[in-house]
Each structure stands twice: as structure tokens, then as C-alpha cells.
């Protein structure tokens, strides 16, 4: 066969070649592209071609070679061994990695964790209790007498309520985390140093300043010779860790059934540095928690001997601390799940 015919013949074969699978493409590659391909043989024959025709034949074979390469690419694409896009767009491995977008913690979780950390450093351990609570743990063991008006201090969501005034079977959503105090005292022996974070519920109309659920952290310390001075110093330590070393506290006498004496604690206004602003209502002070010495009746309810042991307790609202830390006044924002609000806390911790 003349060289020219051979070229024609191969060209035809290449043109007619059809590939359905990756294996077909491989057959094509071995035949027309690989190291022992048939086009190479044509170059060998070129040596025997008379000088005046060498150029012409050389060009024909070169053309055949490019034709085979183009067809090879086409076949590969057709059976999907390479995708359209990766053929055009090569991966640039030197490009900086794309930013990993982290979520944000909820502001209440941030504050809760910070409160836990602060108390952990002075030996408090975390304890938790149920949100659906019986009357004993939420009220009676905390020295709320059955018909005492103090029960109305907290509007309760009842799950089971008795009509005959017998409170023992009543079940409600806990109105405060003080219920966990009782559970811890019942289940352990002093010394006790615990904080109990959690959600609490009250039957209140939702507004910027009130919500039907919110979060508290309860603190309890019971040992021999625990004094009111210990309580004050612990709370001062907390205030300075939380709001900075310039923070001060003041205690105002108050009333809670489960503590005697009881106090409400204010921290010096962190927003105006106690100079007076609309958040502290120009007093320079902000109320942050309730506290007191655990009432002997409460110790007795949990079988702890009040002649041997004494203790202090305190309870604070997490939303309130978050309001002061993040200047978020409207309570509703915490549970609306508005991403525009939540993502602002990305860098907080
Ligand atoms: N339980 C109280 C409330 O929800 C807060 C509180 C006050 C807790 C005094 C305490 C305490 O442990 O000693 O308003």
C-alpha cells in the first residue's frame, strides 16, 4: 500500500472510531496516541519517501497526528472521563482556602458559660434539675407555706393543680432554679458548693421586660460556719470577674421565704461607670440578683442539721447579666431566633 493510502486509511479509521465506554477510549489511545501508535510507523516510512515529496508527506502525517489527538479529547469528553469544566478550568492549588464560616453561640449560652467558669474557679460544681417540678421542690421545701402570699410572687404555669388546697400532688413548670437547691441538698451531704443553671417559667405576658420563660443560675454553699461575710465576698468576686475589677456591689435588705436574712444585690452601673444613665435610671446601680442565708427551715426540709451547718444561696437571671454585658434590653430578642441578632455574637467567645 502506498504511504498516501495508508494515511487516508488511518484517517478514515480515526474518523469512524466510536467510543461508548472508558475502555473503548483506551483502545483508541493505544492505537493512535500511545507510545507504539500506528501513526509513528508512518514517520518511519517517511524515510523512504523521495526528497521532493518529504515535506508534503510530513505535513500530512503531522495533520493526522493532530487529528488523532483532537478526536481523543473529544472521545474522553463524550464518555465523561473528563468533565467539560475541568478541561477548561484547572484547579489552582496555590489559591488561599475559602473562609470557613463558623456559627455563633447564643448570647445566653455565652453568659451562662462565663458564670459557670467564674464559680468553678472557686470550687463550685454544676448541678441541674427538672423543668417540670413538683410543689415540694419548687415551693414547700423552700419554706413557702401552703397559702402563703409569697407563692403569688411568681405566677406559675400549673400542669396538675389541686382544688382542695392539698399541694402535695401539684406539678408545675419550675418558677425558679431554687428548686435545684433542694434536690442537691436531699442527695448529698455538706460541704456543698453548687451552681445550677437552667430555664424557668412564669405565667407573664410577653413584653420587652417580661417573658413566660427565661434563665437563671442558682448558687448554694453549705458548710460549717458559713457566714454572711462569705456571701458578700463571693458576690463581690463574681461581680468583678464578670464586669471588671472596678465593679462594686451593694446589698439592700429584701425578703425571700427560703433565706433569712435576705438581700437584693446591685452592681455599680457598667454602662455609665456609676455616673448615672437611663439604664440605671440615674442611680448608678443595677439590680442583678437575690440572695441570703439559707433559712434553717429549708435545711431541715432536706435533712441537714441547721445547728451544725449554715449556708448561703443566691439566684440571678442570665438575661439580666446578658443585658448588661451586651446592652440587649429587649427580652424577646433572645428567643426569636433572628439570625441578624444571633450572628452578632460570633466574635464574643
Ligand atoms: N429564686 C429567686 C427568684 O427567682 C431568686 C433567689 C433569691 C434565689 C434569693 C436565691 C436566693 O437562692 O437566696 O426570684
Amino acid at each position: 500500500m502506498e504511504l498516501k493510502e495508508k494515511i487516508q486509511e488511518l484517517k478514515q479509521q480515526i474518523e469512524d472510531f466510536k467510543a461508548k465506554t472508558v475502555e473503548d477510549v483506551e483502545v483508541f489511545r493505544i492505537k493512535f496516541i500511545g507510545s507504539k501508535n500506528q501513526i509513528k510507523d508512518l514517520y518511519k516510512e517517511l524515510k523512504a519517501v523521495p526528497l521532493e515529496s518529504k515535506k508534503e508527506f510530513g505535513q500530512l502525517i503531522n495533520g493526522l497526528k493532530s487529528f488523532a489527538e483532537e478526536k481523543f479529547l473529544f472521545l474522553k469528553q463524550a464518555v465523561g472521563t473528563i468533565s467539560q469544566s475541568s478541561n477548561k478550568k484547572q484547579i489552582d492549588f496555590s489559591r488561599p482556602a475559602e473562609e470557613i464560616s463558623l456559627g455563633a453561640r447564643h448570647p445566653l449560652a455565652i453568659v451562662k458559660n462565663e458564670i459557670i467558669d467564674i464559680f468553678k474557679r472557686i470550687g463550685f460544681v454544676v448541678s441541674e434539675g427538672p423543668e417540670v417540678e413538683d410543689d415540694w421542690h419548687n415551693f414547700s421545701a423552700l419554706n413557702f407555706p401552703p397559702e402563703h402570699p409569697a407563692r403569688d410572687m411568681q405566677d406559675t404555669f400549673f400542669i396538675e393543680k389541686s382544688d382542695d388546697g392539698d399541694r402535695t400532688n401539684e406539678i408545675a413548670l419550675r418558677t425558679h432554679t431554687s428548686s435545684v437547691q433542694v434536690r442537691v441538698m436531699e442527695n448529698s451531704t455538706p460541704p456543698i458548693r453548687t451552681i445550677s443553671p437552667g430555664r424557668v417559667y412564669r405565667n407573664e405576658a410577653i413584653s420587652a421586660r417580661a417573658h413566660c420563660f427565661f434563665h437563671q443560675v442558682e448558687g448554694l454553699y453549705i458548710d460549717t460556719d458559713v457566714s454572711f461575710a462569705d456571701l458578700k465576698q463571693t458576690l463581690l468576686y463574681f461581680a468583678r470577674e464578670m464586669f471588671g475589677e472596678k465593679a462594686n456591689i451593694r446589698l439592700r435588705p429584701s425578703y425571700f421565704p427560703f433565706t433569712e436574712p435576705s438581700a437584693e444585690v446591685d452592681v455599680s452601673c457598667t454602662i455609665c461607670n456609676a455616673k448615672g444613665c437611663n439604664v440605671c435610671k440615674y442611680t448608678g446601680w443595677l439590680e442583678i440578683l437575690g440572695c441570703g442565708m439559707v433559712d434553717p427551715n429549708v435545711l431541715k426540709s432536706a435533712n441537714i442539721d441547721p445547728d451544725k451547718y449554715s449556708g448561703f444561696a443566691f439566684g440571678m437571671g442570665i438575661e439580666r447579666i446578658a443585658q448588661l454585658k451586651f446592652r440587649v434590653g429587649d427580652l424577646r430578642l433572645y428567643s426569636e431566633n433572628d439570625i441578624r441578632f444571633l450572628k452578632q455574637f460570633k466574635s464574643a467567645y
Side-chain angles (χ1 to χ4, degrees):
M1 209 192 283
E2 287 284 317
L3 181 55
K4 206 168 199 164
E5 281 168 33
K6 282 188 185 164
I7 295 172
Q8 269 306 323
E9 162 79 26
L10 278 186
K11 192 170 178 220
Q12 199 59 50
Q13 278 185 30
I14 293 168
E15 206 170 323
D16 294 345
F17 197 97
K18 292 206 167 52
K20 284 207 183 81
T21 63
V22 181
E23 288 77 27
D24 295 342
V25 178
E26 182 61 7
V27 169
F28 181 91
R29 190 191 67 77
I30 294 168
K31 237 173 156 181
F32 303 112
I33 308 283
S35 58
K36 290 182 185 149
N37 74 66
Q38 298 184 16
I39 302 172
K40 268 193 179 166
D41 298 340
L42 298 183
Y43 281 110
K44 283 179 203 150
E45 289 189 33
L46 198 55
K47 285 183 197 142
V49 170
L51 203 58
E52 65 272 19
S53 311
K54 260 201 170 94
K55 195 174 171 196
E56 187 201 340
F57 278 101
Q59 280 172 350
L60 278 177
I61 302 171
N62 283 343
L64 186 66
K65 193 180 163 212
S66 327
F67 182 58
E69 280 162 1
E70 267 167 40
K71 175 86 185 204
F72 180 53
L73 255 179
F74 167 80
L75 292 176
K76 279 206 285 189
Q77 271 179 10
V79 302
T81 50
I82 51 172
S83 71
Q84 297 277 357
S85 58
S86 77
N87 186 25
K88 289 194 197 101
K89 192 171 76 180
Q90 295 206 335
I91 297 171
D92 176 0
F93 291 102
S94 68
R95 257 181 63 186
E98 293 214 353
E99 186 192 346
I100 297 171
S101 165
L102 289 179
R105 271 194 205 287
H106 192 280
L108 296 178
I110 293 168
V111 171
K112 179 187 83 174
N113 290 342
E114 197 176 345
I115 297 171
I116 290 174
D117 277 352
I118 291 171
F119 283 102
K120 266 192 179 167
R121 292 203 282 275
I122 52 169
F124 281 70
V125 296
V126 175
S127 52
E128 283 177 1
E131 292 180 13
V132 176
E133 191 54 285
D134 53 34
D135 172 84
W136 172 254
H137 292 95
N138 196 73
F139 290 122
S140 292
L142 288 164
N143 201 33
F144 285 84
E147 298 309 326
H148 197 281
R151 285 177 187 257
D152 301 330
M153 283 165 73
Q154 303 170 350
D155 294 306
T156 310
F157 282 118
F158 285 98
I159 289 173
E160 271 166 46
K161 191 158 171 52
S162 70
D163 324 314
D164 58 4
D166 176 12
R167 303 275 187 179
T168 46
N169 295 325
E170 281 184 356
I171 308 273
L173 295 180
R174 67 179 175 195
T175 58
H176 53 184
T177 44
S178 301
S179 55
V180 188
Q181 272 191 38
V182 181
R183 290 187 174 269
V184 173
M185 283 191 278
E186 284 172 342
N187 296 319
S188 47
T189 47
I192 294 169
R193 253 179 285 172
T194 187
I195 47 165
S196 321
R199 182 173 288 175
V200 302
Y201 300 83
R202 291 191 198 171
N203 192 355
E204 292 198 33
I206 297 170
S207 71
R209 301 160 139 267
H211 211 295
C212 59
F213 64 79
F214 52 98
H215 302 80
Q216 293 186 328
V217 174
E218 186 78 12
L220 177 71
Y221 177 30
I222 296 179
D223 203 343
T224 51
D225 303 320
V226 177
S227 71
F228 203 86
D230 296 325
L231 170 60
K232 273 167 45 175
Q233 202 58 35
T234 304
L235 295 177
L236 180 62
Y237 156 79
F238 167 74
R240 294 196 168 157
E241 291 292 304
M242 189 53 127
F243 299 110
E245 56 191 21
K246 290 206 196 88
N248 257 317
I249 57 167
R250 72 173 183 187
L251 281 75
R252 288 175 287 105
S254 185
Y255 170 77
F256 299 101
F258 33 93
T259 42
E260 181 59 34
S262 304
E264 273 166 330
V265 178
D266 300 339
V267 64
S268 49
C269 184
T270 52
I271 291 165
C272 62
N273 283 328
K275 285 187 190 76
C277 66
N278 59 351
V279 179
C280 64
K281 303 210 179 73
Y282 300 95
T283 63
W285 295 98
L286 299 157
E287 187 188 325
I288 53 162
L289 56 85
C291 66
M293 301 307 290
V294 180
D295 193 291
N297 286 337
V298 175
L299 295 174
K300 270 188 237 159
S301 300
N303 292 321
I304 291 176
D305 181 359
D307 294 327
K308 192 167 167 204
Y309 294 106
S310 57
F312 65 68
F314 56 86
M316 68 181 93
I318 301 182
E319 279 83 349
R320 175 67 166 160
I321 309 285
Q323 176 191 2
L324 302 181
K325 267 200 100 77
F326 299 131
R327 320 262 163 106
V328 176
D330 192 325
L331 281 177
R332 292 166 295 194
L333 284 165
Y334 292 115
S335 51
E336 275 169 354
N337 275 343
D338 186 331
I339 204 82
R340 291 167 303 178
F341 171 68
L342 296 173
K343 73 179 180 193
Q344 293 178 60
F345 300 93
K346 266 191 184 175
S347 61
Y349 295 92

